[in-house]
């Protein structure tokens, strides 16, 4: 039996859909509460696959509660661990460590105790190092901590260390490192929030660049890792390297809005960050722009996907089409436009 953690998240829900599409035998997933199940149902509804929900064996558990995991992992042969937390707010440092590091350690320990054969971990390119020569980052680029390293990057790096520990205990381990994921989900968080933000109106684009990948590719690659013969290795999932200007322009086109036309300068970003910090200290809401997200917006990164193409025989989908389809789903979402 295959079990998915984080089934209410962007990656987990789409992975469950793909597992059912490919008829990969009995499938189970853990959930924390009824509210999280509503998120999964909503993502399934984007594709008219509500009936798939009842084909999953749902087991209530929390990755921060190892006793609940002990029960949930009984009879499981393969775990796809997609549960995690994403934030670039410095105030969330402890929460990132708690969920991403301690939570992953709990998953590993419970998997060992339950006799799980294979653990597939959804990490991030944030857990990889930076190529100082400016070449695309690949799976061999070593991670190094610096004053610019985000708390998210730190948490994903040390979460991977917990996963590699599982390999020393005899579990077959495979790690997928997606770049920024494009797909429908919670329009208020993560990369889906870009569609909401541009729909609301955005005049400026940041001068940086990054890697991006369609959620369909991430889900398909995870399924390929379920049966991949060569274990104890990692794969980058990256569909294309784009400037933020290119990305914002394509999103704006998809939702019928004017594309951001002004290139933001770093001093402008710092000013917005300062004003946002003052504003959020008064209203108690999470800041839109932080020091960490500002650093990412002005950085230029690219990623090499040759290993996943060659060793997993994967052909990446057209990212422009994925952006257009996500934009259409955003516009059709009754929760956003009611």
């Amino acid at each position: 039996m295959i079990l998915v953690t984080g089934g209410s998240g962007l990656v987990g829900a789409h992975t469950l859909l793909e597992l059912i599409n490919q008829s990969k035998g009995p499938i189970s997933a853990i959930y924390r509460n009824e509210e999280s199940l509503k998120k999964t149902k909503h993502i399934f509804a984007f594709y008219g696959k509500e009936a798939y929900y009842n084909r999953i064996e749902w087991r209530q558990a929390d990755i921060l509660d190892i006793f609940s995991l002990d029960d949930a992992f009984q009879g499981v042969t393969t775990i796809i661990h997609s549960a995690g937390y994403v934030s670039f707010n410095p105030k969330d440092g402890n929460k990132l460590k708690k969920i991403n590091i301690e939570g992953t350690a709990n998953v590993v320990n419970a998997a060992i105790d339950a006799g799980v054969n294979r653990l597939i971990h959804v990490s991030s390119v944030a857990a990889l190092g930076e190529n100082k020569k400016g070449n695309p980052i690949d799976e061999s680029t070593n991670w190094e901590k610096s004053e610019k390293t985000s708390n998210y990057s730190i948490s994903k790096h040390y979460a991977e260390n917990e996963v590699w520990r599982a390999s020393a205990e005899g579990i077959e381990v495979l790690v997928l490192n997606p770049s920024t994921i494009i797909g429908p989900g919670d329009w208020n968080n993560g990369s889906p929030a870009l569609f909401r933000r541009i729909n609301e109106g955005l005049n400026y684009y940041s001068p940086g660049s990054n890697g991006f990948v369609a959620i369909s590719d991430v889900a398909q690659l995870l399924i390929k890792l379920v049966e991949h013969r060569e274990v104890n290795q990692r794969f980058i999932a990256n569909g294309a390297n784009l400037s933020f200007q290119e990305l914002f322009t394509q999103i704006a086109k998809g939702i019928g809005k004017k594309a951001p036309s002004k290139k933001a300068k770093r001093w402008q970003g710092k000013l917005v960050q300062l004003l946002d910090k003052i504003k959020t200290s008064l209203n108690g809401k999470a800041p839109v722009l932080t020091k960490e997200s500002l650093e990412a917006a002005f950085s230029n990164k690219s990623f090499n996907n040759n290993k996943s193409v060659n060793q997993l025989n994967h052909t990446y989908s057209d990212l422009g089409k994925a952006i257009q389809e996500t934009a259409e789903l955003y516009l059709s979402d009754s929760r956003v436009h009611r």
Side-chain angles (χ1 to χ4, degrees):
M1 175 177 283
I2 299 172
L3 179 141
V4 177
T5 72
S8 63
L10 175 65
V11 174
H14 282 87
T15 300
L16 288 169
L17 284 170
E18 190 62 29
L19 283 167
I20 297 172
N21 280 333
Q22 295 191 27
S23 301
K24 290 296 182 180
I27 301 164
S28 60
I30 62 173
Y31 73 99
R32 286 178 299 166
N33 50 48
E34 293 297 324
E35 191 61 32
S36 65
L37 290 179
K38 291 180 182 178
K39 295 179 181 179
T40 308
K41 290 179 179 179
H42 192 77
I43 290 177
F44 282 19
F46 281 135
Y47 305 96
K49 302 291 186 181
E50 296 94 331
Y52 279 16
Y53 174 83
N54 294 320
R55 294 171 63 178
I56 300 165
E57 180 187 331
W58 292 98
R59 303 178 178 186
Q60 190 167 12
D62 189 323
I63 63 171
L64 297 180
D65 180 359
I66 193 165
F67 297 108
S68 68
L69 293 178
D70 286 338
D71 293 334
F73 288 178
Q74 294 304 309
V76 173
T77 56
T78 298
I79 293 173
I80 299 177
H81 177 42
S82 69
Y85 184 63
V86 181
S87 174
F88 293 96
N89 185 346
K91 291 184 178 181
D92 288 333
N94 289 333
K95 188 174 182 179
L96 284 163
K97 293 174 183 177
K98 186 80 174 176
I99 296 175
N100 292 346
I101 303 175
E102 183 180 324
T104 300
N106 289 341
V107 168
V108 168
N109 292 334
I112 293 170
D113 291 341
V116 171
N117 297 330
R118 177 168 293 203
L119 174 60
I120 300 168
H121 177 57
V122 182
S123 185
S124 165
V125 291
L128 301 173
E130 296 188 27
N131 195 318
K132 297 178 180 179
K133 295 183 179 180
N135 295 324
I137 296 166
D138 62 22
E139 290 82 356
S140 65
T141 309
N142 292 324
W143 184 87
E144 293 181 10
K145 184 179 179 181
S146 71
E147 61 180 14
K148 295 182 179 180
T149 305
S150 68
N151 285 318
Y152 176 66
S153 175
I154 293 169
S155 72
K156 296 304 285 187
H157 170 74
Y158 286 106
E160 279 196 14
N161 286 349
E162 295 294 338
V163 173
W164 295 122
R165 175 171 61 83
S167 67
E169 297 289 339
I171 294 181
E172 298 174 348
V173 167
L174 288 155
V175 174
L176 190 70
N177 297 85
S179 54
T180 301
I181 299 172
I182 301 297
D186 183 348
W187 306 113
N188 293 312
N189 293 293
S191 55
L194 284 171
F195 290 81
R196 175 186 58 80
R197 184 67 186 88
I198 292 175
N199 183 60
E200 292 172 348
L202 193 64
N203 294 323
Y204 290 87
Y205 64 87
S206 52
S209 59
N210 210 330
F212 301 91
V213 61
I215 184 59
S216 59
D217 287 308
V218 174
Q220 290 166 20
L221 285 165
L222 288 170
I223 309 309
K224 289 183 177 183
L225 293 183
V226 170
E227 298 175 350
H228 189 60
R229 292 183 179 181
E230 297 182 28
V231 297
N232 301 332
Q233 55 182 304
R234 72 164 80 249
F235 294 88
I236 287 175
N238 185 60
N241 298 304
L242 299 175
S243 68
F244 288 116
Q245 182 184 16
E246 292 175 294
L247 176 70
F248 291 0
T249 298
Q250 290 191 46
I251 293 176
K253 180 181 178 181
I255 57 181
K257 295 289 183 177
K258 182 181 178 181
S261 58
K262 300 177 182 178
K263 181 178 179 179
K265 295 181 173 61
R266 187 175 283 270
W267 69 265
Q268 292 174 313
K270 289 182 177 180
L271 178 60
V272 172
Q273 178 200 339
L274 176 61
L275 294 174
D276 197 28
K277 185 177 181 180
I278 295 172
K279 179 181 177 181
T280 54
S281 67
L282 297 174
N283 61 25
K285 294 183 179 180
V288 175
L289 189 64
T290 67
K291 181 180 179 181
E292 292 180 357
S293 58
L294 180 66
E295 183 62 37
F298 281 80
S299 297
N300 285 290
K301 291 185 178 181
S302 61
F303 300 91
N304 185 325
N305 65 10
N306 287 344
K307 187 176 180 181
S308 61
V309 170
N310 297 329
Q311 294 190 25
L312 298 178
N313 193 30
H314 186 71
T315 301
Y316 282 89
S317 56
D318 181 84
L319 192 63
K321 183 178 179 181
I323 292 171
Q324 177 64 37
E325 290 175 348
T326 303
E328 290 173 0
L329 290 172
Y330 171 78
L331 292 174
S332 68
D333 194 335
S334 59
R335 295 186 308 173
V336 177
H337 306 286
R338 59 188 173 191

